[in-house]
Amino acid sequence: MNRDQVINFAPGPAKLPQEVLEQAQKEMLSYNNLGISVMEMSHRSSDFSKIINNAENLLRELLQIPDNYKVLYLQGGGTGQFSAVPLNLLNLKEGHTADYIVTGAWSAKAAKEAEKYGKVNVVYPKLDKYTTIPDESSWTLSPEASYVYYCANETIHGVEFQFVPETNGVPLVADMSSNILTRPVDISKFGLIYAGAQKNIGCAGVTLVIVRDDLIGHAMKECPSVLDYKNQVGMNSMFNTPPTWSIYIMGLVFQWLKSIGGAAAMEELNRKKSEAVYSTIDSLPDFYFCPVDKPARSRMNVPFRIGSPTGDETLEKRFLEEAQKRGFVSLKGHRSVGGLRASLYNAVTAQDVDKLVSFMREFHQVNQ
């Protein structure tokens, strides 16, 4: 199959905008008529400085990032930030305590990692299953916490916050790896935001960190130098050789986002896309099943089962086989939960979703 025959619903690394790939293809062998690829370019060169500075300027414009926040382009993925966050922030208060709002696999892993460095308070009893977000009135937040941590969108379980948690002045840390720039966000409500690029804003290899100035410079002595935000800020994300190509691609994605209306335009598009899939599932309640409570349903990752709430293995296997024939790829659910999952990130078009929904309705007609 060629690219025009495939629709990629992968959870990450995920689909990139066609315009971005074409621009990268055009500049692959000779960037800006320099005769070398970005992949061959010195990260200390003036040409790469322009690339990384342009990416930051575009991001600041797209998210309206206040001047008292720094932007970093780091390695290690979101998983690296599971360690970097506590190593940099637990020292903010003597108790070395952090509050964690655990709503899925990724926030659970982050909490477990943070336990290596200090005391972790999970703000409500462990959930039997990750299908909801407990009401804020049931949370027990510690006023002595150095920070409050949550994952804004859980890709595996399809759980997304539709609100920003209230922390009563304690710095709020958000893992936005799978929903950054899918809607406007008030950066000033956060102490730190991080996001792996490979879902909505680029390709794998770079992790974006947006951190408020007053949270920089408090790293524990055990913190590896490469994870210390102060070191990375002081070297403009070049404490070590940065992921140059991934930063370049991220800049192209930011430019593409700006050209189509930015986060506000994406919010409306993503609402329509996710509503189309959920309405299809809900309109066929004896055939398709979404396990997530409606208020917590993710706009980015839609998990579902076929045949019963726990899934009919034969039907689900047939669905994936038929989908593959139609050019729909990466619809299989995460191995830890099974079933099916459609990821609807920014680069997935409304037309892509329309085709998926039509297939889902057709599959129901044939297999009901």
Side-chain angles (χ1 to χ4, degrees):
M1 287 187 178
N2 61 41
R3 186 172 180 83
D4 293 337
Q5 295 172 300
V6 173
I7 300 176
N8 185 3
F9 292 100
K15 181 177 181 178
L16 283 163
Q18 184 79 10
E19 297 90 332
V20 167
L21 291 174
E22 289 173 350
Q23 182 71 19
Q25 180 187 48
K26 180 181 176 182
E27 297 176 337
M28 172 67 81
L29 299 181
S30 179
Y31 174 77
N32 204 24
N33 294 318
L34 293 174
I36 60 172
S37 171
V38 172
M39 287 186 281
E40 304 169 297
M41 187 182 293
S42 169
H43 63 292
R44 304 291 183 193
S45 67
S46 60
D47 293 296
F48 185 71
S49 292
K50 291 176 184 176
I51 289 173
I52 194 170
N53 290 336
N54 179 61
E56 178 175 341
N57 291 337
L58 285 166
L59 179 67
R60 285 187 176 275
E61 180 181 352
L62 286 165
L63 285 177
Q64 299 181 356
I65 300 174
D67 292 340
N68 63 322
Y69 287 76
K70 296 294 189 291
V71 174
L72 298 172
Y73 301 99
L74 306 180
Q75 296 169 78
T79 303
Q81 293 306 306
F82 293 172
S83 299
V85 166
L87 285 166
N88 279 274
L89 302 187
L90 278 174
N91 262 356
L92 289 169
K93 291 187 179 178
E94 291 183 2
H96 297 94
T97 298
D99 288 340
Y100 275 70
I101 306 166
V102 176
T103 53
W106 297 115
S107 49
K109 288 183 178 182
K112 184 177 181 180
E113 183 68 15
E115 288 175 351
K116 296 178 180 178
Y117 312 111
K119 182 181 178 182
V120 168
N121 169 48
V122 178
V123 303
Y124 44 71
K126 181 174 172 33
L127 301 174
D128 293 332
K129 51 185 178 179
Y130 296 128
T131 58
T132 191
I133 298 173
D135 189 88
E136 283 187 281
S137 63
S138 69
W139 302 358
T140 303
L141 298 175
S142 169
E144 296 305 312
S146 295
Y147 62 89
V148 177
Y149 178 104
Y150 79 113
C151 179
N153 182 72
E154 292 278 1
T155 57
I156 293 175
H157 295 93
V159 172
E160 183 177 25
F161 280 76
Q162 308 304 337
F163 62 94
V164 176
E166 176 54 58
T167 64
N168 301 312
V170 175
L172 180 61
V173 175
D175 173 358
M176 291 191 183
S177 292
S178 52
N179 68 355
I180 193 166
L181 279 169
T182 64
R183 59 187 173 195
V185 60
D186 183 354
I187 300 296
S188 68
K189 291 184 177 181
F190 299 85
L192 184 149
I193 293 169
Y194 72 83
Q198 67 274 13
K199 302 176 189 298
N200 276 305
I201 55 173
C203 61
V206 62
T207 302
L208 175 69
V209 174
I210 303 168
V211 56
R212 204 170 63 212
D213 287 346
D214 63 303
L215 304 183
I216 299 167
H218 305 279
M220 305 170 90
K221 60 181 175 57
E222 298 88 353
C223 182
S225 298
V226 73
L227 295 182
D228 188 333
Y229 298 141
K230 184 178 179 180
N231 290 340
Q232 293 287 0
V233 167
M235 299 294 289
N236 192 30
S237 300
M238 298 187 198
F239 183 79
N240 61 322
T241 305
T244 52
W245 176 260
S246 298
I247 293 169
Y248 158 72
I249 293 294
M250 187 182 281
L252 294 183
V253 173
F254 293 160
Q255 186 62 58
W256 170 77
L257 279 167
K258 180 181 177 180
S259 73
I260 61 172
M266 292 282 33
E267 178 177 37
E268 179 62 15
L269 176 61
N270 287 322
R271 181 187 63 79
K272 290 179 178 178
K273 291 189 302 185
S274 59
E275 284 182 356
V277 179
Y278 284 122
S279 64
T280 301
I281 292 170
D282 293 341
S283 68
L284 302 169
D286 296 323
F287 191 76
Y288 291 115
F289 301 84
C290 177
V292 182
D293 290 354
K294 288 186 178 181
R297 283 179 172 181
S298 170
R299 301 163 304 129
M300 297 291 102
N301 310 97
V302 182
F304 61 99
R305 306 304 299 250
I306 301 177
S308 77
T310 55
D312 180 305
E313 184 177 348
T314 300
L315 278 175
E316 291 181 348
K317 181 180 180 182
R318 187 181 304 155
F319 182 93
L320 289 171
E321 290 171 350
E322 291 296 321
Q324 187 80 28
K325 293 176 184 177
R326 305 290 184 94
F328 304 134
V329 300
S330 298
L331 284 167
K332 188 175 182 179
H334 191 271
R335 62 186 180 278
S336 65
V337 295
L340 303 147
R341 172 177 53 170
S343 295
L344 312 176
Y345 300 129
N346 282 348
V348 175
T349 68
Q351 291 76 18
D352 293 341
V353 173
D354 288 344
K355 291 177 182 177
L356 174 63
V357 165
S358 293
F359 168 66
M360 290 173 69
R361 292 190 178 279
E362 181 183 324
F363 187 82
H364 164 259
Q365 282 292 112
V366 174
N367 294 279
Q368 62 180 314

